[in-house]
Amino acid sequence: MDFSLLNQLLVIFICSVIAIAVFHRLRLPATLSYLIVGVLLGPAATETIAESENIALLAEMGVVFLLFSIGLEFSFAHMWALRRIVFGLGGYQVLLCGIGIAIVAFLLGLPLPIALILGAGLALSSTAIVSKELTSRNELKLPVGQQTMGVLIFQDIAAVFFLILVPVLAGDGEQNLWLALGSVLVKSSLLLGIMLLIGRWILPHLFHEIAKVRSEELFVLTALVIALLAAWVTHSMHLSMALGGFLAGMMLGESHYRHQVEHDIRPFRDVLLGLFFVSVGMMLDLSLFLQHWLLILVLTVLLLAFKGIVITWLARKHSDTPSTALKTGLYLAQGGEFCLALIALVNQHTLLTNTQSAVVLSVTILSMSATPFIIRYSHWFINKLTSQKLPTLNNEPSVIAAAIESVTNHTLICGYGRVGQSIGRFLDKQNLPYVAMDDDPVRVKEACQAERKVFFGDCRRPDLLEAAGLDRANLVVICVDVDENAEKITQAIRLKNQQIPIIVRTRDDSSLEALRNTGATEVIPEIFESSLMMVKHVLVMLGTPTEQIREQIDTVRQERYQILHGLYQGEHTSITDKKGLPRTFLHGIQLAADASSIGKTLELIDLEARFGIEIHHLKRHDIELDDWRNQPLLANDIVVISGNHEQLEQAENLLLTGYS
């Protein structure tokens, strides 16, 4: 039995795990880690992985699943509404960028047919990278996501025609060009019509019946079969497999099962898409890159600049704001995977020299590698290019200080989102002065129309806090979404003022202790307060006296929500929070008759001091014991503790075996 494919996949996955972990620590995009793995394992560097058709096929499946999941967000009705962007913006983008690049290639001495092929290839962008970044940034539904996806869809359609052009321009086409193009149009129209009918009349009933079975395996397999079957159909019709995946997703786009389908298919998509990026990295000729690195860098910058400018100019006609047009240009400025396929086809017909094709491949891959960074820092580019608008937001300390010169004994609100605005409105009703600061320019601009004491600025800057009258304020309320920013704001305040009370609002209790240690007077987790409100309504409906309810809730707040800390872990509960820190869980340990802790007291065992966990109570015969610390433990007692995953394991091991 040949294990060569298994060996190759094992090496790729091991290297990818290491690379992703390192890149995550460095806060670099995971896409780039896959590309680096491909370069290091490919023929250009260590030659660990030889070219493999099986890996290439699996990699293409990743793009199919990516386009399938994106298609779920775009129904046929939605796509029809975007037809001006797809065929208007997309068509003009491919035409103008293709002609411009072809002219430059022709002036550099390449024959006109080859120049046209290069122009067509480099006019296309990376569907895989851009779509993945849009999805991860949750921008698919935003105007920039709509425009970008519309252009990418047209590019995928145009790529099919370009792949037909290569053999014709090479002089060995088996049929007339117009006949070939007409055949593709007929096939595409027929396929679209058939899939529209299937998506409208068959798939909803199919998934309805599958949902009745309540089998996750059947549901996942059905979604996979539909995606792969659509890819097989388009491939057999000599169309793009990725286009088939997208159309299959669109068939389910109007179904209320689409969210579950997207969730189930995500693991397959992400793993196989990683293989695709590895295969792209393997195409890079490292030795030739080192020989011509300056030329490749210059051409890469010129490609990104030219496409970015052209697409921004075209997108401006379809955008409500210049920033959306500029973002669209930045997102689509790179070369794409279809250019790599075109160059491979060109090499089969020996239309380019090895050096020429390697340079074009290097430029394409380098521009693709730069794309995650360009997208991540697109706000920085936009701010630099539209910086003339910022002064209207009053973000200079002198402007803020002058505007609130007469304001004293006020509340300083850091972050003017939903919570900050609610606080401001209640303070207004009580005629209590406040000053608010937020780093969202649109929100501040809107708020300034009606409220004079809202300013644009980064609350982490001590000079802006001082300008906002920190030394004259009675209270600071921090209402930002990111706990790390809340900590930095608290630190900045304490550098200037050690006495002023600081109330911090957070979503949960993951940063409770860190914020208190930083200097917060009170930390109010939203999730705890909403739980208390539910408890209050439940007790009211059960007839509990109002005074008794108030006393219980006040006690919980005075004890800093201690009773609400921790939760029982569920099947899908992650053991770490969004910052990668361990979550606190509740856990009950039932003591067997031969447990090593039988006969001992919890005070003697001292789990809190050993592991840092918290003991909530001891249950015996479904009754919570009052003096549980000094009670000798008996068989079938249940010790309820809270802590992170590692602490709970250590405590349980000690209670049951005597060893941690």
Side-chain angles (χ1 to χ4, degrees):
M1 187 177 292
D2 185 8
F3 282 92
S4 58
L5 176 60
L6 176 61
N7 296 337
Q8 290 176 347
L9 289 175
L10 187 59
V11 171
I12 290 173
F13 289 149
I14 290 173
C15 294
S16 297
V17 167
I18 297 171
I20 291 173
V22 172
F23 275 57
H24 180 73
R25 288 273 182 169
L26 299 175
R27 297 189 177 182
L28 295 174
T31 304
L32 190 61
S33 67
Y34 286 120
L35 290 169
I36 296 297
V37 168
V39 172
L40 295 178
L41 296 180
T46 62
E47 299 186 30
T48 304
I49 305 293
E51 293 186 9
S52 170
E53 291 185 4
N54 292 326
I55 288 181
L57 179 61
L58 289 174
E60 193 165 0
M61 288 299 100
V63 182
V64 169
F65 287 136
L66 173 68
L67 268 293
F68 176 73
S69 61
I70 290 172
L72 292 170
E73 302 288 337
F74 292 85
S75 63
F76 281 103
H78 195 180
M79 285 305 304
W80 178 252
L82 290 175
R83 63 189 183 279
R84 287 182 63 249
I85 293 176
V86 175
F87 297 102
L89 177 57
Y92 281 120
Q93 180 270 319
V94 172
L95 181 66
L96 293 183
C97 290
I99 291 175
I101 295 170
I103 291 173
V104 173
F106 181 71
L107 294 176
L108 290 175
L110 292 176
L112 182 59
I114 309 306
L116 288 173
I117 293 173
L118 288 181
L122 290 172
L124 306 178
S125 306
S126 175
T127 302
I129 292 178
V130 177
S131 302
K132 187 176 187 300
E133 292 296 322
L134 284 172
T135 304
S136 63
R137 293 168 63 86
N138 200 26
E139 291 184 335
L140 276 175
K141 294 292 186 181
L142 299 181
V144 64
Q146 305 282 300
Q147 289 194 141
T148 303
M149 282 308 305
V151 173
L152 288 173
I153 291 165
F154 182 85
Q155 289 181 358
D156 287 349
I157 298 171
V160 179
F161 293 93
F162 295 156
L163 291 172
I164 294 171
L165 280 174
V166 173
V168 174
L169 292 174
D172 56 354
E174 295 180 2
Q175 55 182 327
N176 180 273
L177 172 62
W178 297 109
L179 183 61
L181 295 179
S183 173
V184 170
L185 278 175
V186 171
K187 289 177 183 177
S188 302
S189 302
L190 183 63
L191 178 65
L192 190 64
I194 292 173
M195 286 196 164
L196 178 61
L197 292 174
I198 293 173
R200 181 64 60 87
W201 302 108
I202 298 177
L203 287 185
H205 298 291
L206 175 64
F207 273 95
H208 181 69
E209 293 301 319
I210 290 171
K212 288 182 180 179
V213 179
R214 298 185 180 275
S215 169
E216 289 187 13
E217 293 86 352
L218 183 59
F219 199 93
V220 173
L221 279 174
T222 305
L224 291 175
V225 166
I226 290 173
L228 293 174
L229 186 59
W232 176 81
V233 169
T234 52
H235 177 70
S236 63
M237 298 175 70
H238 304 289
L239 299 173
S240 164
M241 292 177 67
L243 183 62
F246 182 79
L247 291 175
M250 284 178 58
M251 287 192 300
L252 294 169
E254 294 180 351
S255 167
H256 56 277
Y257 298 108
R258 64 189 178 92
H259 295 296
Q260 185 175 347
V261 171
E262 195 277 335
H263 177 269
D264 290 341
I265 209 168
R266 190 182 303 159
F268 302 95
R269 179 196 71 192
D270 291 344
V271 171
L272 293 175
L273 195 60
L275 277 180
F276 167 77
F277 292 127
V278 171
S279 67
V280 170
M282 290 169 61
M283 295 181 184
L284 185 65
D285 190 332
L286 203 57
S287 60
L288 190 137
F289 178 83
L290 295 175
Q291 290 177 26
H292 304 279
W293 66 271
L294 184 58
L295 173 64
I296 292 170
L297 284 178
V298 170
L299 291 176
T300 302
V301 172
L302 290 175
L303 174 69
L304 292 171
F306 173 70
K307 287 185 68 176
I309 292 170
V310 171
I311 296 171
T312 299
W313 176 67
L314 291 171
R316 186 65 187 97
K317 300 177 182 179
H318 297 267
S319 305
D320 295 330
T321 61
S323 61
T324 300
L326 185 54
K327 259 191 175 184
T328 306
L330 290 170
Y331 284 19
L332 294 170
Q334 75 292 138
E337 50 272 6
F338 281 115
C339 181
L340 304 176
L342 276 174
I343 297 304
L345 191 58
V346 165
N347 287 338
Q348 292 178 14
H349 296 280
T350 63
L351 299 176
L352 285 174
T353 66
N354 290 336
T355 302
Q356 288 172 337
S357 63
V359 168
V360 176
L361 282 174
S362 298
V363 169
T364 305
I365 293 171
L366 196 61
S367 66
M368 291 170 70
S369 302
T371 299
F373 293 103
I374 294 174
I375 293 177
R376 174 180 289 188
Y377 296 106
S378 57
H379 287 289
W380 182 85
F381 287 107
I382 292 169
N383 288 337
K384 286 293 181 183
L385 294 172
T386 59
S387 58
Q388 69 274 9
K389 293 186 177 182
L390 292 181
T392 60
L393 294 172
N394 297 339
N395 65 326
E396 291 300 319
S398 57
V399 176
I400 298 175
I404 64 164
E405 187 177 6
S406 60
V407 179
T408 58
N409 300 321
H410 58 283
T411 298
L412 177 56
I413 303 174
C414 298
Y416 206 57
R418 173 179 53 83
V419 177
Q421 291 174 39
S422 300
I423 294 171
R425 289 166 191 164
F426 272 88
L427 292 176
D428 260 343
K429 284 186 174 293
Q430 300 295 322
N431 293 319
L432 295 172
Y434 72 91
V435 173
M437 199 181 307
D438 197 281
D439 61 358
D440 186 323
V442 176
R443 180 182 296 147
V444 172
K445 190 174 181 180
E446 288 291 321
C448 284
Q449 301 292 333
E451 304 173 33
R452 296 182 181 179
K453 298 301 185 288
V454 182
F455 301 94
F456 176 77
D458 186 346
C459 299
R460 293 170 294 185
R461 287 175 51 182
D463 58 333
L464 289 181
L465 291 170
E466 193 172 2
L470 177 63
D471 57 332
R472 308 190 303 274
N474 285 338
L475 175 68
V476 177
V477 183
I478 301 175
C479 310
V480 296
D481 286 331
V482 182
D483 290 349
E484 185 179 352
N485 290 341
E487 292 177 32
K488 291 179 180 178
I489 294 170
T490 307
Q491 289 173 346
I493 293 170
R494 287 302 178 217
L495 284 174
K496 294 288 183 180
N497 192 323
Q498 290 289 330
Q499 305 302 323
I500 191 168
I502 302 174
I503 299 177
V504 183
R505 160 262 183 189
T506 63
R507 291 194 180 276
D508 52 39
D509 61 335
S510 58
S511 300
L512 207 62
E513 290 305 318
L515 285 165
R516 285 175 182 153
N517 294 336
T518 305
T521 310
E522 290 291 341
V523 182
I524 312 295
E526 273 190 0
I527 193 170
F528 288 172
E529 282 298 321
S530 62
S531 298
L532 287 179
M533 290 302 296
M534 286 293 294
V535 169
K536 177 182 177 182
H537 286 293
V538 168
L539 294 177
V540 167
M541 297 293 286
L542 292 174
T544 307
T546 304
E547 189 60 33
Q548 185 179 340
I549 296 173
R550 186 183 298 113
E551 287 178 4
Q552 290 180 357
I553 290 179
D554 287 344
T555 300
V556 172
R557 287 175 177 148
Q558 289 168 7
E559 293 176 352
R560 299 181 182 271
Y561 309 99
Q562 202 65 37
I563 194 175
L564 302 179
H565 285 183
L567 71 158
Y568 294 109
Q569 185 175 1
E571 181 181 357
H572 303 293
T573 309
S574 172
I575 63 173
T576 58
D577 59 21
K578 291 179 289 186
K579 297 169 66 176
L581 300 174
R583 292 183 186 273
T584 299
F585 291 106
L586 280 171
H587 181 54
I589 304 170
Q590 187 167 15
L591 303 180
D594 56 352
S596 65
S597 57
I598 296 297
K600 301 177 183 177
T601 65
L602 288 173
E603 186 173 29
L604 178 64
I605 299 172
D606 201 8
L607 294 174
E608 294 120 318
R610 289 193 184 189
F611 307 119
I613 59 104
E614 179 184 348
I615 301 176
H616 284 255
H617 56 265
L618 175 65
K619 245 184 184 181
R620 182 173 293 165
H621 306 303
D622 289 332
I623 298 173
E624 290 186 17
L625 302 183
D626 293 329
D627 186 24
W628 50 265
R629 286 191 177 276
N630 297 309
Q631 287 280 349
L633 296 174
L634 304 179
N636 296 319
D637 280 358
I638 299 174
V639 183
V640 181
I641 62 176
S642 65
N644 63 45
H645 209 263
E646 184 178 352
Q647 291 170 330
L648 295 179
E649 287 184 359
Q650 291 175 332
E652 184 166 13
N653 288 338
L654 184 65
L655 288 174
L656 298 179
T657 69
Y659 301 98
S660 59

